[in-house]
Amino acid sequence: MDLAYIPSPSTGVLHLGPLPLRGYAFCIIIGVFVGVWYGGKRWVARGGKVGTVADIAVWAVPFGLVGGRLYHVITDYQLYFSEGKNWVDAFKIWEGGLGIWGAIALGAVGAWIGCRRRGIPLPAYADAIAPGIVLAQAIGRWGNWFNQELYGKATDLPWALKISAGPNREAGLYHPTFLYESLWCVAVAVLVVWADRRFTLGHGRVFALYVAAYCVGRAWIEYMRVDEAHHILGLRLNVWTAVLVFLLAVAYIVISSRLRPGREEIVEPDLDAKSDTADGGSEAGSDATADGTADAEKAGAKADAKSGPDATDTGKTAVGKTGSS
């Protein structure tokens, strides 16, 4: 008899009248809001404008959702396009299935478009939102709990996850890999924030550190999973992806730190331009005032010089006339 385990929800959908509220979508939405909110706070602390992160997220989030779904469908095509499967299910994103690799890759394209429209350097924006992204992942992973998916091997540990029988799954107690990854993401967020403050990272190195740290955890968590996946040389495809992305992230940190040390001083150029304009206007006004004062003093000096002799002559004439009288 199992005395302790993590229960799974009996259903991943709650109905509010005719409106279905899906736990998976709810977790994704909450994660996005938290990521944008925290990213906005970090952006303002770096010297950016309030609302900039949200404006660019309007581009990044839809691109990320499409990229995440594309990666999942392409790498697990047998779930949708093999015999007996319905290809229409590939569009049912609310049933689960978002690949973080595709979400980050295509989301970066959307962020680049948004940054380009605002004249903002993408690396600085990526550094600001990196901890928010990984916190969004931590929250989003709980959507897998609602769908009873992404669990690991069978276990009798006290924190085992109880899975009920269903399509493509057997009832039992399994490692809660969704929980492992959620906790790992929180730890990565703490690490990234600490490293950013301690070493004053910039030029995309905060984002690269997030990617590298996440990949370390994802590799061993992926190794524990038992859901269907493609294998290369005995390892799951996502393990190889994590290894490759980790190496690329570390290489970027090393090369970037040598080519562009330090951190960006200006993250939102239009703010700096407005500041320069205001400073220039103040300086121009000061110069104009100074010039006007100088001109007035010169004019006064000329008037005094001219009126001085005339007044003396007038005084002499008056005295002469008085004496004659």
Side-chain angles (χ1 to χ4, degrees), residues 180-181 184 215-225 239:
Y180 297 161
E181 185 167 340
W184 182 263
C215 287
V216 172
R218 180 59 185 268
W220 69 265
I221 293 171
E222 188 74 25
Y223 187 75
M224 296 178 63
R225 287 169 53 175
V239 174

Side-chain angles (χ1 to χ4, degrees), residues 98-229:
L98 288 175
I100 187 62
W101 316 110
I104 295 298
L106 207 56
V109 174
W112 175 79
I113 294 174
C115 287
R116 188 175 179 82
R117 290 167 59 90
R118 299 289 294 265
I120 293 172
L122 178 60
Y125 180 81
D127 284 346
I129 65 172
I133 291 178
V134 74
L135 286 177
Q137 290 177 239
I139 297 171
R141 272 305 177 206
W142 284 87
N144 303 128
W145 177 62
F146 281 99
N147 286 353
Q148 297 195 45
E149 58 186 3
L150 301 190
Y151 48 88
K153 302 173 183 177
T155 182
D156 57 358
L157 291 171
W159 56 84
L161 176 66
K162 187 175 183 179
I163 296 294
S164 60
N168 302 319
R169 68 173 187 254
E170 296 181 2
L173 298 177
Y174 301 90
H175 277 284
T177 50
F178 85 90
L179 178 60
Y180 297 161
E181 185 167 340
S182 180
L183 294 176
W184 182 263
C185 287
V186 173
V188 170
V190 173
L191 169 66
V192 169
V193 171
W194 171 82
D196 188 25
R197 293 177 179 176
R198 175 65 177 80
F199 302 105
T200 316
L201 302 176
H203 300 288
R205 290 188 287 277
V206 177
F207 186 85
L209 176 61
Y210 140 65
V211 172
Y214 171 75
C215 287
V216 172
R218 180 59 185 268
W220 69 265
I221 293 171
E222 188 74 25
Y223 187 75
M224 296 178 63
R225 287 169 53 175
V226 294
D227 53 303
E228 184 179 356

